[in-house]
């Protein structure tokens, strides 16, 4: 598993987050840490993990944003599978073991799983899958359109070769809401999805962090840009899906 970790000014959370990676019961993984020109101690904290040969550290000389950093991670990745991890979030220690076993067993191209929001306390570890369902590509698109699938890229595991062979499956650089187009692009290049339901969530998503990308502030210029980005990417998504799935015209509209 290649784990892409974009790092930017997360010194308060980085140790805890990287430790949840290091403790994974599944040992065959690489962690591609990319510091996106942080101005705090994030890079120095990340350096400490280089004593573990599975951890690799790179640095952007200028701030590329989340999309540009993840795209660089895709190019640097060498594993069979790819997984995205945000450095203020946490993972249950057995997540990779469960995901790799499931993607092999189901012979799916893509796994999607549920997550748990948290703000302060570390949630309990996940130990079991409650429900599992499988879908073909058309059914998966319908799930996405009906908002029964999350667009968050860290809620998926897929094969790195799919991304390497299809340069379209990248994050739009310089835009907010980068996941709007990434997941639709990815789904159109898979045959089968497995959807997993963990009893306590398979990914622990930290909310209400001051300074995070999703942190709300009342800056009018920032808000205007976010609205423009959202409209632009929704339009791209609409046009792309309309072109490729004429049989789903009503759902797409």
């Amino acid at each position: 598993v290649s784990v892409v970790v974009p790092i930017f000014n997360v010194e308060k959370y980085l140790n805890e987050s990287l430790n949840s990676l290091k403790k994974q019961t599944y040992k065959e993984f690489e962690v591609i840490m990319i510091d996106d020109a942080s101005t705090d101690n994030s890079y120095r904290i990340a350096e400490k993990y280089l004593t573990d040969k599975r951890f690799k550290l790179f640095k952007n000389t200028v701030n590329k944003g989340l999309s540009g950093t993840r795209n660089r991670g895709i190019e640097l990745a060498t594993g069979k599978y790819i997984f995205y991890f945000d450095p203020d979030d946490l993972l249950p220690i057995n997540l990779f073991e469960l995901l790799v076993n499931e993607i092999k067993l189901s012979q799916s191209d893509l796994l999607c799983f549920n997550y748990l929001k948290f703000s302060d306390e570390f949630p309990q570890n996940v130990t079991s899958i409650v429900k599992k369902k499988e879908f073909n590509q058309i059914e998966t698109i319908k799930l996405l359109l009906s908002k029964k699938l999350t667009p968050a890229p860290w809620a998926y595991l897929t094969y790195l070769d799919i991304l390497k062979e299809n340069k379209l499956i990248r994050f739009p650089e310089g835009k907010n809401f980068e996941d709007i187009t990434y997941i639709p692009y990815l789904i159109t290049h898979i045959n089968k999805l497995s959807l997993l339901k963990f009893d306590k969530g398979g990914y622990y998503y930290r909310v209400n962090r001051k300074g995070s990308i999703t942190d709300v502030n009342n800056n009018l210029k920032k808000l205007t840009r976010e609205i423009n980005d959202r409209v632009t990417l929704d339009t791209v998504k609409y046009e792309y899906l309309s072109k490729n799935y004429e049989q789903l015209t009503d759902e797409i509209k």
Side-chain angles (χ1 to χ4, degrees), residues 90-105:
L90 298 169
L91 300 179
I93 62 172
N94 58 345
L95 179 66
F96 291 169
E97 183 179 354
L98 292 170
L99 294 183
V100 172
N101 287 341
E102 177 57 31
I103 202 167
K104 289 179 179 178
L105 181 66

Side-chain angles (χ1 to χ4, degrees), residues 105-162:
L105 181 66
S106 66
Q107 297 185 325
S108 298
D109 306 300
L110 182 65
L111 293 185
C112 179
F113 49 95
N114 59 315
Y115 60 94
L116 178 66
K117 294 181 180 180
F118 79 102
S119 54
D120 295 313
E121 296 182 1
F122 190 100
Q124 297 180 24
N125 283 341
V126 172
T127 55
S128 63
I129 297 171
V130 176
K131 296 179 181 179
K132 180 181 79 172
K133 294 182 179 179
E134 296 177 355
F135 303 89
N136 63 32
Q137 186 187 96
I138 296 295
E139 291 169 336
T140 303
I141 289 291
K142 288 182 178 180
L143 287 176
L144 185 69
L145 292 172
S146 62
K147 298 185 179 179
K148 293 179 181 177
L149 275 186
T150 176
W154 39 252
Y156 294 85
L157 179 77
T158 192
Y159 288 90
L160 179 61
D161 282 351
I162 296 176

Side-chain angles (χ1 to χ4, degrees), residues 61-112:
T61 54
V62 296
N63 183 270
K64 291 189 173 185
L66 187 56
S67 292
T69 304
R70 282 179 176 160
N71 288 340
R72 186 182 180 193
I74 293 171
E75 301 309 317
L76 291 168
T78 62
K80 184 174 184 177
Y81 312 101
I82 188 163
F83 182 84
Y84 303 102
F85 180 59
D86 288 350
D88 54 342
D89 295 336
L90 298 169
L91 300 179
I93 62 172
N94 58 345
L95 179 66
F96 291 169
E97 183 179 354
L98 292 170
L99 294 183
V100 172
N101 287 341
E102 177 57 31
I103 202 167
K104 289 179 179 178
L105 181 66
S106 66
Q107 297 185 325
S108 298
D109 306 300
L110 182 65
L111 293 185
C112 179

Side-chain angles (χ1 to χ4, degrees), residues 210-224:
K210 188 69 176 176
S212 71
I213 290 174
T214 54
D215 179 36
V216 176
N217 84 35
N218 294 318
N219 184 297
L220 182 58
K221 184 177 180 180
K222 178 174 180 289
L223 180 61
T224 302

